[in-house]
mmCIF file with all atom_site columns, all heavy atoms in Angstrom:
data_model
loop_
_atom_site.group_PDB
_atom_site.id
_atom_site.type_symbol
_atom_site.label_atom_id
_atom_site.label_alt_id
_atom_site.label_comp_id
_atom_site.label_asym_id
_atom_site.label_entity_id
_atom_site.label_seq_id
_atom_site.pdbx_PDB_ins_code
_atom_site.Cartn_x
_atom_site.Cartn_y
_atom_site.Cartn_z
_atom_site.occupancy
_atom_site.B_iso_or_equiv
_atom_site.pdbx_formal_charge
_atom_site.auth_seq_id
_atom_site.auth_comp_id
_atom_site.auth_asym_id
_atom_site.auth_atom_id
_atom_site.pdbx_PDB_model_num
ATOM 1   N N   . ALA A 1 1  ? 0.832  -1.208 0.000   1.00 93.00 ? 141 ALA A N   1
ATOM 2   C CA  . ALA A 1 1  ? 0.000  0.000  0.000   1.00 93.00 ? 141 ALA A CA  1
ATOM 3   C C   . ALA A 1 1  ? 0.868  1.260  0.000   1.00 93.00 ? 141 ALA A C   1
ATOM 4   O O   . ALA A 1 1  ? 0.593  2.205  -0.746  1.00 93.00 ? 141 ALA A O   1
ATOM 5   C CB  . ALA A 1 1  ? -0.931 -0.013 1.205   1.00 93.00 ? 141 ALA A CB  1
ATOM 6   N N   . LEU A 1 2  ? 1.897  1.278  0.814   1.00 94.00 ? 142 LEU A N   1
ATOM 7   C CA  . LEU A 1 2  ? 2.807  2.435  0.840   1.00 94.00 ? 142 LEU A CA  1
ATOM 8   C C   . LEU A 1 2  ? 3.499  2.618  -0.503  1.00 94.00 ? 142 LEU A C   1
ATOM 9   O O   . LEU A 1 2  ? 3.626  3.746  -1.001  1.00 94.00 ? 142 LEU A O   1
ATOM 10  C CB  . LEU A 1 2  ? 3.846  2.269  1.949   1.00 94.00 ? 142 LEU A CB  1
ATOM 11  C CG  . LEU A 1 2  ? 3.346  2.475  3.370   1.00 94.00 ? 142 LEU A CG  1
ATOM 12  C CD1 . LEU A 1 2  ? 4.378  1.975  4.375   1.00 94.00 ? 142 LEU A CD1 1
ATOM 13  C CD2 . LEU A 1 2  ? 3.041  3.939  3.608   1.00 94.00 ? 142 LEU A CD2 1
ATOM 14  N N   . ALA A 1 3  ? 3.943  1.516  -1.100  1.00 94.00 ? 143 ALA A N   1
ATOM 15  C CA  . ALA A 1 3  ? 4.634  1.592  -2.391  1.00 94.00 ? 143 ALA A CA  1
ATOM 16  C C   . ALA A 1 3  ? 3.702  2.100  -3.489  1.00 94.00 ? 143 ALA A C   1
ATOM 17  O O   . ALA A 1 3  ? 4.084  2.953  -4.298  1.00 94.00 ? 143 ALA A O   1
ATOM 18  C CB  . ALA A 1 3  ? 5.201  0.223  -2.760  1.00 94.00 ? 143 ALA A CB  1
ATOM 19  N N   . VAL A 1 4  ? 2.488  1.596  -3.519  1.00 91.00 ? 144 VAL A N   1
ATOM 20  C CA  . VAL A 1 4  ? 1.544  2.010  -4.568  1.00 91.00 ? 144 VAL A CA  1
ATOM 21  C C   . VAL A 1 4  ? 1.120  3.465  -4.367  1.00 91.00 ? 144 VAL A C   1
ATOM 22  O O   . VAL A 1 4  ? 1.068  4.226  -5.337  1.00 91.00 ? 144 VAL A O   1
ATOM 23  C CB  . VAL A 1 4  ? 0.324  1.068  -4.598  1.00 91.00 ? 144 VAL A CB  1
ATOM 24  C CG1 . VAL A 1 4  ? -0.779 1.618  -5.476  1.00 91.00 ? 144 VAL A CG1 1
ATOM 25  C CG2 . VAL A 1 4  ? 0.753  -0.299 -5.088  1.00 91.00 ? 144 VAL A CG2 1
ATOM 26  N N   . ASP A 1 5  ? 0.835  3.851  -3.145  1.00 88.00 ? 145 ASP A N   1
ATOM 27  C CA  . ASP A 1 5  ? 0.469  5.250  -2.896  1.00 88.00 ? 145 ASP A CA  1
ATOM 28  C C   . ASP A 1 5  ? 1.623  6.183  -3.254  1.00 88.00 ? 145 ASP A C   1
ATOM 29  O O   . ASP A 1 5  ? 1.418  7.246  -3.836  1.00 88.00 ? 145 ASP A O   1
ATOM 30  C CB  . ASP A 1 5  ? 0.042  5.448  -1.444  1.00 88.00 ? 145 ASP A CB  1
ATOM 31  C CG  . ASP A 1 5  ? -1.362 4.930  -1.175  1.00 88.00 ? 145 ASP A CG  1
ATOM 32  O OD1 . ASP A 1 5  ? -2.155 4.805  -2.131  1.00 88.00 ? 145 ASP A OD1 1
ATOM 33  O OD2 . ASP A 1 5  ? -1.667 4.645  0.002   1.00 88.00 ? 145 ASP A OD2 1
ATOM 34  N N   . GLY A 1 6  ? 2.835  5.780  -2.947  1.00 90.00 ? 146 GLY A N   1
ATOM 35  C CA  . GLY A 1 6  ? 4.008  6.583  -3.322  1.00 90.00 ? 146 GLY A CA  1
ATOM 36  C C   . GLY A 1 6  ? 4.205  6.637  -4.825  1.00 90.00 ? 146 GLY A C   1
ATOM 37  O O   . GLY A 1 6  ? 4.525  7.689  -5.391  1.00 90.00 ? 146 GLY A O   1
ATOM 38  N N   . MET A 1 7  ? 3.990  5.507  -5.495  1.00 87.00 ? 147 MET A N   1
ATOM 39  C CA  . MET A 1 7  ? 4.140  5.453  -6.947  1.00 87.00 ? 147 MET A CA  1
ATOM 40  C C   . MET A 1 7  ? 3.101  6.356  -7.631  1.00 87.00 ? 147 MET A C   1
ATOM 41  O O   . MET A 1 7  ? 3.393  6.983  -8.643  1.00 87.00 ? 147 MET A O   1
ATOM 42  C CB  . MET A 1 7  ? 3.983  4.017  -7.437  1.00 87.00 ? 147 MET A CB  1
ATOM 43  C CG  . MET A 1 7  ? 4.355  3.835  -8.877  1.00 87.00 ? 147 MET A CG  1
ATOM 44  S SD  . MET A 1 7  ? 4.136  2.139  -9.490  1.00 87.00 ? 147 MET A SD  1
ATOM 45  C CE  . MET A 1 7  ? 4.632  1.137  -8.131  1.00 87.00 ? 147 MET A CE  1
ATOM 46  N N   . GLN A 1 8  ? 1.917  6.422  -7.065  1.00 82.00 ? 148 GLN A N   1
ATOM 47  C CA  . GLN A 1 8  ? 0.892  7.275  -7.655  1.00 82.00 ? 148 GLN A CA  1
ATOM 48  C C   . GLN A 1 8  ? 1.252  8.756  -7.526  1.00 82.00 ? 148 GLN A C   1
ATOM 49  O O   . GLN A 1 8  ? 0.889  9.551  -8.386  1.00 82.00 ? 148 GLN A O   1
ATOM 50  C CB  . GLN A 1 8  ? -0.468 6.969  -7.039  1.00 82.00 ? 148 GLN A CB  1
ATOM 51  C CG  . GLN A 1 8  ? -0.993 5.640  -7.534  1.00 82.00 ? 148 GLN A CG  1
ATOM 52  C CD  . GLN A 1 8  ? -2.300 5.229  -6.901  1.00 82.00 ? 148 GLN A CD  1
ATOM 53  O OE1 . GLN A 1 8  ? -2.624 5.646  -5.789  1.00 82.00 ? 148 GLN A OE1 1
ATOM 54  N NE2 . GLN A 1 8  ? -3.054 4.407  -7.600  1.00 82.00 ? 148 GLN A NE2 1
ATOM 55  N N   . TRP A 1 9  ? 1.971  9.121  -6.485  1.00 83.00 ? 149 TRP A N   1
ATOM 56  C CA  . TRP A 1 9  ? 2.443  10.501 -6.376  1.00 83.00 ? 149 TRP A CA  1
ATOM 57  C C   . TRP A 1 9  ? 3.535  10.779 -7.406  1.00 83.00 ? 149 TRP A C   1
ATOM 58  O O   . TRP A 1 9  ? 3.602  11.858 -7.975  1.00 83.00 ? 149 TRP A O   1
ATOM 59  C CB  . TRP A 1 9  ? 2.979  10.782 -4.968  1.00 83.00 ? 149 TRP A CB  1
ATOM 60  C CG  . TRP A 1 9  ? 1.895  11.224 -4.063  1.00 83.00 ? 149 TRP A CG  1
ATOM 61  C CD1 . TRP A 1 9  ? 1.188  10.447 -3.202  1.00 83.00 ? 149 TRP A CD1 1
ATOM 62  C CD2 . TRP A 1 9  ? 1.362  12.540 -3.940  1.00 83.00 ? 149 TRP A CD2 1
ATOM 63  N NE1 . TRP A 1 9  ? 0.251  11.201 -2.544  1.00 83.00 ? 149 TRP A NE1 1
ATOM 64  C CE2 . TRP A 1 9  ? 0.335  12.495 -2.985  1.00 83.00 ? 149 TRP A CE2 1
ATOM 65  C CE3 . TRP A 1 9  ? 1.649  13.754 -4.545  1.00 83.00 ? 149 TRP A CE3 1
ATOM 66  C CZ2 . TRP A 1 9  ? -0.398 13.613 -2.621  1.00 83.00 ? 149 TRP A CZ2 1
ATOM 67  C CZ3 . TRP A 1 9  ? 0.916  14.869 -4.175  1.00 83.00 ? 149 TRP A CZ3 1
ATOM 68  C CH2 . TRP A 1 9  ? -0.088 14.788 -3.234  1.00 83.00 ? 149 TRP A CH2 1
ATOM 69  N N   . VAL A 1 10 ? 4.402  9.794  -7.639  1.00 84.00 ? 150 VAL A N   1
ATOM 70  C CA  . VAL A 1 10 ? 5.473  9.970  -8.624  1.00 84.00 ? 150 VAL A CA  1
ATOM 71  C C   . VAL A 1 10 ? 4.880  10.081 -10.025 1.00 84.00 ? 150 VAL A C   1
ATOM 72  O O   . VAL A 1 10 ? 5.350  10.861 -10.855 1.00 84.00 ? 150 VAL A O   1
ATOM 73  C CB  . VAL A 1 10 ? 6.483  8.799  -8.534  1.00 84.00 ? 150 VAL A CB  1
ATOM 74  C CG1 . VAL A 1 10 ? 7.458  8.823  -9.687  1.00 84.00 ? 150 VAL A CG1 1
ATOM 75  C CG2 . VAL A 1 10 ? 7.221  8.846  -7.210  1.00 84.00 ? 150 VAL A CG2 1
ATOM 76  N N   . LEU A 1 11 ? 3.829  9.302  -10.307 1.00 76.00 ? 151 LEU A N   1
ATOM 77  C CA  . LEU A 1 11 ? 3.189  9.320  -11.623 1.00 76.00 ? 151 LEU A CA  1
ATOM 78  C C   . LEU A 1 11 ? 2.191  10.460 -11.789 1.00 76.00 ? 151 LEU A C   1
ATOM 79  O O   . LEU A 1 11 ? 1.527  10.540 -12.828 1.00 76.00 ? 151 LEU A O   1
ATOM 80  C CB  . LEU A 1 11 ? 2.480  7.987  -11.869 1.00 76.00 ? 151 LEU A CB  1
ATOM 81  C CG  . LEU A 1 11 ? 3.361  6.751  -11.954 1.00 76.00 ? 151 LEU A CG  1
ATOM 82  C CD1 . LEU A 1 11 ? 2.513  5.503  -12.106 1.00 76.00 ? 151 LEU A CD1 1
ATOM 83  C CD2 . LEU A 1 11 ? 4.348  6.871  -13.099 1.00 76.00 ? 151 LEU A CD2 1
ATOM 84  N N   . LEU A 1 12 ? 2.069  11.321 -10.800 1.00 75.00 ? 152 LEU A N   1
ATOM 85  C CA  . LEU A 1 12 ? 1.089  12.409 -10.831 1.00 75.00 ? 152 LEU A CA  1
ATOM 86  C C   . LEU A 1 12 ? 1.142  13.246 -12.109 1.00 75.00 ? 152 LEU A C   1
ATOM 87  O O   . LEU A 1 12 ? 0.100  13.521 -12.698 1.00 75.00 ? 152 LEU A O   1
ATOM 88  C CB  . LEU A 1 12 ? 1.250  13.302 -9.595  1.00 75.00 ? 152 LEU A CB  1
ATOM 89  C CG  . LEU A 1 12 ? 0.282  14.473 -9.466  1.00 75.00 ? 152 LEU A CG  1
ATOM 90  C CD1 . LEU A 1 12 ? -1.145 13.959 -9.327  1.00 75.00 ? 152 LEU A CD1 1
ATOM 91  C CD2 . LEU A 1 12 ? 0.656  15.334 -8.274  1.00 75.00 ? 152 LEU A CD2 1
ATOM 92  N N   . PRO A 1 13 ? 2.316  13.638 -12.615 1.00 71.00 ? 153 PRO A N   1
ATOM 93  C CA  . PRO A 1 13 ? 2.327  14.440 -13.846 1.00 71.00 ? 153 PRO A CA  1
ATOM 94  C C   . PRO A 1 13 ? 1.709  13.703 -15.041 1.00 71.00 ? 153 PRO A C   1
ATOM 95  O O   . PRO A 1 13 ? 1.085  14.317 -15.891 1.00 71.00 ? 153 PRO A O   1
ATOM 96  C CB  . PRO A 1 13 ? 3.811  14.721 -14.095 1.00 71.00 ? 153 PRO A CB  1
ATOM 97  C CG  . PRO A 1 13 ? 4.452  14.568 -12.770 1.00 71.00 ? 153 PRO A CG  1
ATOM 98  C CD  . PRO A 1 13 ? 3.654  13.532 -12.037 1.00 71.00 ? 153 PRO A CD  1
ATOM 99  N N   . LEU A 1 14 ? 1.858  12.407 -15.113 1.00 70.00 ? 154 LEU A N   1
ATOM 100 C CA  . LEU A 1 14 ? 1.262  11.646 -16.215 1.00 70.00 ? 154 LEU A CA  1
ATOM 101 C C   . LEU A 1 14 ? -0.240 11.469 -16.040 1.00 70.00 ? 154 LEU A C   1
ATOM 102 O O   . LEU A 1 14 ? -0.992 11.491 -17.004 1.00 70.00 ? 154 LEU A O   1
ATOM 103 C CB  . LEU A 1 14 ? 1.919  10.263 -16.322 1.00 70.00 ? 154 LEU A CB  1
ATOM 104 C CG  . LEU A 1 14 ? 3.386  10.237 -16.719 1.00 70.00 ? 154 LEU A CG  1
ATOM 105 C CD1 . LEU A 1 14 ? 3.913  8.814  -16.650 1.00 70.00 ? 154 LEU A CD1 1
ATOM 106 C CD2 . LEU A 1 14 ? 3.551  10.802 -18.122 1.00 70.00 ? 154 LEU A CD2 1
ATOM 107 N N   . VAL A 1 15 ? -0.669 11.278 -14.805 1.00 65.00 ? 155 VAL A N   1
ATOM 108 C CA  . VAL A 1 15 ? -2.081 11.027 -14.528 1.00 65.00 ? 155 VAL A CA  1
ATOM 109 C C   . VAL A 1 15 ? -2.908 12.286 -14.744 1.00 65.00 ? 155 VAL A C   1
ATOM 110 O O   . VAL A 1 15 ? -4.042 12.217 -15.215 1.00 65.00 ? 155 VAL A O   1
ATOM 111 C CB  . VAL A 1 15 ? -2.262 10.485 -13.094 1.00 65.00 ? 155 VAL A CB  1
ATOM 112 C CG1 . VAL A 1 15 ? -3.716 10.305 -12.751 1.00 65.00 ? 155 VAL A CG1 1
ATOM 113 C CG2 . VAL A 1 15 ? -1.532 9.166  -12.951 1.00 65.00 ? 155 VAL A CG2 1
ATOM 114 N N   . ILE A 1 16 ? -2.361 13.452 -14.415 1.00 67.00 ? 156 ILE A N   1
ATOM 115 C CA  . ILE A 1 16 ? -3.107 14.700 -14.576 1.00 67.00 ? 156 ILE A CA  1
ATOM 116 C C   . ILE A 1 16 ? -3.450 14.933 -16.042 1.00 67.00 ? 156 ILE A C   1
ATOM 117 O O   . ILE A 1 16 ? -4.550 15.328 -16.376 1.00 67.00 ? 156 ILE A O   1
ATOM 118 C CB  . ILE A 1 16 ? -2.320 15.895 -13.997 1.00 67.00 ? 156 ILE A CB  1
ATOM 119 C CG1 . ILE A 1 16 ? -2.366 15.833 -12.484 1.00 67.00 ? 156 ILE A CG1 1
ATOM 120 C CG2 . ILE A 1 16 ? -2.891 17.214 -14.478 1.00 67.00 ? 156 ILE A CG2 1
ATOM 121 C CD1 . ILE A 1 16 ? -1.605 16.927 -11.795 1.00 67.00 ? 156 ILE A CD1 1
ATOM 122 N N   . GLY A 1 17 ? -2.508 14.630 -16.917 1.00 59.00 ? 157 GLY A N   1
ATOM 123 C CA  . GLY A 1 17 ? -2.764 14.790 -18.339 1.00 59.00 ? 157 GLY A CA  1
ATOM 124 C C   . GLY A 1 17 ? -3.673 13.722 -18.899 1.00 59.00 ? 157 GLY A C   1
ATOM 125 O O   . GLY A 1 17 ? -4.164 13.839 -20.009 1.00 59.00 ? 157 GLY A O   1
ATOM 126 N N   . GLY A 1 18 ? -3.894 12.675 -18.156 1.00 60.00 ? 158 GLY A N   1
ATOM 127 C CA  . GLY A 1 18 ? -4.783 11.608 -18.598 1.00 60.00 ? 158 GLY A CA  1
ATOM 128 C C   . GLY A 1 18 ? -4.076 10.485 -19.325 1.00 60.00 ? 158 GLY A C   1
ATOM 129 O O   . GLY A 1 18 ? -4.684 9.459  -19.617 1.00 60.00 ? 158 GLY A O   1
ATOM 130 N N   . ALA A 1 19 ? -2.782 10.625 -19.625 1.00 56.00 ? 159 ALA A N   1
ATOM 131 C CA  . ALA A 1 19 ? -2.079 9.604  -20.397 1.00 56.00 ? 159 ALA A CA  1
ATOM 132 C C   . ALA A 1 19 ? -1.973 8.287  -19.646 1.00 56.00 ? 159 ALA A C   1
ATOM 133 O O   . ALA A 1 19 ? -2.157 7.218  -20.218 1.00 56.00 ? 159 ALA A O   1
ATOM 134 C CB  . ALA A 1 19 ? -0.687 10.107 -20.764 1.00 56.00 ? 159 ALA A CB  1
ATOM 135 N N   . ALA A 1 20 ? -1.704 8.346  -18.358 1.00 59.00 ? 160 ALA A N   1
ATOM 136 C CA  . ALA A 1 20 ? -1.505 7.125  -17.579 1.00 59.00 ? 160 ALA A CA  1
ATOM 137 C C   . ALA A 1 20 ? -2.709 6.784  -16.709 1.00 59.00 ? 160 ALA A C   1
ATOM 138 O O   . ALA A 1 20 ? -2.629 5.900  -15.874 1.00 59.00 ? 160 ALA A O   1
ATOM 139 C CB  . ALA A 1 20 ? -0.260 7.249  -16.708 1.00 59.00 ? 160 ALA A CB  1
ATOM 140 N N   . SER A 1 21 ? -3.806 7.478  -16.923 1.00 73.00 ? 161 SER A N   1
ATOM 141 C CA  . SER A 1 21 ? -4.978 7.222  -16.090 1.00 73.00 ? 161 SER A CA  1
ATOM 142 C C   . SER A 1 21 ? -5.474 5.778  -16.177 1.00 73.00 ? 161 SER A C   1
ATOM 143 O O   . SER A 1 21 ? -5.786 5.189  -15.155 1.00 73.00 ? 161 SER A O   1
ATOM 144 C CB  . SER A 1 21 ? -6.088 8.205  -16.440 1.00 73.00 ? 161 SER A CB  1
ATOM 145 O OG  . SER A 1 21 ? -7.179 8.029  -15.577 1.00 73.00 ? 161 SER A OG  1
ATOM 146 N N   . PRO A 1 22 ? -5.560 5.162  -17.372 1.00 78.00 ? 162 PRO A N   1
ATOM 147 C CA  . PRO A 1 22 ? -5.967 3.748  -17.412 1.00 78.00 ? 162 PRO A CA  1
ATOM 148 C C   . PRO A 1 22 ? -4.988 2.827  -16.677 1.00 78.00 ? 162 PRO A C   1
ATOM 149 O O   . PRO A 1 22 ? -5.399 1.862  -16.037 1.00 78.00 ? 162 PRO A O   1
ATOM 150 C CB  . PRO A 1 22 ? -6.011 3.416  -18.903 1.00 78.00 ? 162 PRO A CB  1
ATOM 151 C CG  . PRO A 1 22 ? -6.170 4.724  -19.589 1.00 78.00 ? 162 PRO A CG  1
ATOM 152 C CD  . PRO A 1 22 ? -5.466 5.730  -18.712 1.00 78.00 ? 162 PRO A CD  1
ATOM 153 N N   . ILE A 1 23 ? -3.710 3.148  -16.759 1.00 78.00 ? 163 ILE A N   1
ATOM 154 C CA  . ILE A 1 23 ? -2.710 2.345  -16.038 1.00 78.00 ? 163 ILE A CA  1
ATOM 155 C C   . ILE A 1 23 ? -2.905 2.510  -14.541 1.00 78.00 ? 163 ILE A C   1
ATOM 156 O O   . ILE A 1 23 ? -2.837 1.547  -13.775 1.00 78.00 ? 163 ILE A O   1
ATOM 157 C CB  . ILE A 1 23 ? -1.285 2.752  -16.461 1.00 78.00 ? 163 ILE A CB  1
ATOM 158 C CG1 . ILE A 1 23 ? -1.064 2.414  -17.938 1.00 78.00 ? 163 ILE A CG1 1
ATOM 159 C CG2 . ILE A 1 23 ? -0.233 2.088  -15.582 1.00 78.00 ? 163 ILE A CG2 1
ATOM 160 C CD1 . ILE A 1 23 ? 0.198  2.983  -18.524 1.00 78.00 ? 163 ILE A CD1 1
ATOM 161 N N   . ASN A 1 24 ? -3.148 3.724  -14.103 1.00 78.00 ? 164 ASN A N   1
ATOM 162 C CA  . ASN A 1 24 ? -3.386 4.006  -12.691 1.00 78.00 ? 164 ASN A CA  1
ATOM 163 C C   . ASN A 1 24 ? -4.630 3.270  -12.195 1.00 78.00 ? 164 ASN A C   1
ATOM 164 O O   . ASN A 1 24 ? -4.633 2.688  -11.108 1.00 78.00 ? 164 ASN A O   1
ATOM 165 C CB  . ASN A 1 24 ? -3.522 5.518  -12.493 1.00 78.00 ? 164 ASN A CB  1
ATOM 166 C CG  . ASN A 1 24 ? -3.462 5.925  -11.045 1.00 78.00 ? 164 ASN A CG  1
ATOM 167 O OD1 . ASN A 1 24 ? -2.877 5.248  -10.219 1.00 78.00 ? 164 ASN A OD1 1
ATOM 168 N ND2 . ASN A 1 24 ? -4.077 7.049  -10.737 1.00 78.00 ? 164 ASN A ND2 1
ATOM 169 N N   . ASP A 1 25 ? -5.698 3.288  -12.991 1.00 79.00 ? 165 ASP A N   1
ATOM 170 C CA  . ASP A 1 25 ? -6.930 2.587  -12.614 1.00 79.00 ? 165 ASP A CA  1
ATOM 171 C C   . ASP A 1 25 ? -6.707 1.076  -12.550 1.00 79.00 ? 165 ASP A C   1
ATOM 172 O O   . ASP A 1 25 ? -7.181 0.408  -11.631 1.00 79.00 ? 165 ASP A O   1
ATOM 173 C CB  . ASP A 1 25 ? -8.057 2.916  -13.590 1.00 79.00 ? 165 ASP A CB  1
ATOM 174 C CG  . ASP A 1 25 ? -8.485 4.367  -13.503 1.00 79.00 ? 165 ASP A CG  1
ATOM 175 O OD1 . ASP A 1 25 ? -8.177 5.025  -12.485 1.00 79.00 ? 165 ASP A OD1 1
ATOM 176 O OD2 . ASP A 1 25 ? -9.129 4.843  -14.457 1.00 79.00 ? 165 ASP A OD2 1
ATOM 177 N N   . ALA A 1 26 ? -5.981 0.545  -13.524 1.00 84.00 ? 166 ALA A N   1
ATOM 178 C CA  . ALA A 1 26 ? -5.693 -0.895 -13.529 1.00 84.00 ? 166 ALA A CA  1
ATOM 179 C C   . ALA A 1 26 ? -4.847 -1.272 -12.312 1.00 84.00 ? 166 ALA A C   1
ATOM 180 O O   . ALA A 1 26 ? -5.066 -2.321 -11.696 1.00 84.00 ? 166 ALA A O   1
ATOM 181 C CB  . ALA A 1 26 ? -4.973 -1.276 -14.822 1.00 84.00 ? 166 ALA A CB  1
ATOM 182 N N   . MET A 1 27 ? -3.900 -0.410 -11.958 1.00 84.00 ? 167 MET A N   1
ATOM 183 C CA  . MET A 1 27 ? -3.065 -0.671 -10.788 1.00 84.00 ? 167 MET A CA  1
ATOM 184 C C   . MET A 1 27 ? -3.919 -0.705 -9.520  1.00 84.00 ? 167 MET A C   1
ATOM 185 O O   . MET A 1 27 ? -3.718 -1.559 -8.655  1.00 84.00 ? 167 MET A O   1
ATOM 186 C CB  . MET A 1 27 ? -1.978 0.410  -10.675 1.00 84.00 ? 167 MET A CB  1
ATOM 187 C CG  . MET A 1 27 ? -0.976 0.161  -9.582  1.00 84.00 ? 167 MET A CG  1
ATOM 188 S SD  . MET A 1 27 ? 0.476  1.246  -9.614  1.00 84.00 ? 167 MET A SD  1
ATOM 189 C CE  . MET A 1 27 ? -0.213 2.860  -9.823  1.00 84.00 ? 167 MET A CE  1
ATOM 190 N N   . ASP A 1 28 ? -4.915 0.178  -9.424  1.00 85.00 ? 168 ASP A N   1
ATOM 191 C CA  . ASP A 1 28 ? -5.797 0.188  -8.254  1.00 85.00 ? 168 ASP A CA  1
ATOM 192 C C   . ASP A 1 28 ? -6.648 -1.076 -8.177  1.00 85.00 ? 168 ASP A C   1
ATOM 193 O O   . ASP A 1 28 ? -6.871 -1.609 -7.087  1.00 85.00 ? 168 ASP A O   1
ATOM 194 C CB  . ASP A 1 28 ? -6.694 1.422  -8.275  1.00 85.00 ? 168 ASP A CB  1
ATOM 195 C CG  . ASP A 1 28 ? -5.938 2.688  -7.907  1.00 85.00 ? 168 ASP A CG  1
ATOM 196 O OD1 . ASP A 1 28 ? -4.975 2.581  -7.113  1.00 85.00 ? 168 ASP A OD1 1
ATOM 197 O OD2 . ASP A 1 28 ? -6.305 3.761  -8.405  1.00 85.00 ? 168 ASP A OD2 1
ATOM 198 N N   . VAL A 1 29 ? -7.096 -1.583 -9.312  1.00 88.00 ? 169 VAL A N   1
ATOM 199 C CA  . VAL A 1 29 ? -7.880 -2.823 -9.322  1.00 88.00 ? 169 VAL A CA  1
ATOM 200 C C   . VAL A 1 29 ? -7.021 -3.995 -8.855  1.00 88.00 ? 169 VAL A C   1
ATOM 201 O O   . VAL A 1 29 ? -7.443 -4.814 -8.030  1.00 88.00 ? 169 VAL A O   1
ATOM 202 C CB  . VAL A 1 29 ? -8.463 -3.095 -10.727 1.00 88.00 ? 169 VAL A CB  1
ATOM 203 C CG1 . VAL A 1 29 ? -9.051 -4.489 -10.813 1.00 88.00 ? 169 VAL A CG1 1
ATOM 204 C CG2 . VAL A 1 29 ? -9.513 -2.049 -11.070 1.00 88.00 ? 169 VAL A CG2 1
#
């Protein structure tokens, strides 16, 4: 949980633009 929450902060610039949003959602599932 700590690793994934930290990784989501690192990927924040990609997720905001929407490019990595499907990857982020898949990671949460």
Side-chain angles (χ1 to χ4, degrees):
L142 286 167
V144 169
D145 283 338
M147 190 181 322
Q148 287 176 335
W149 272 96
V150 170
L151 296 176
L152 181 63
L154 294 175
V155 176
I156 286 179
S161 184
I163 295 170
N164 193 26
D165 293 342
M167 186 169 47
D168 286 329
V169 169

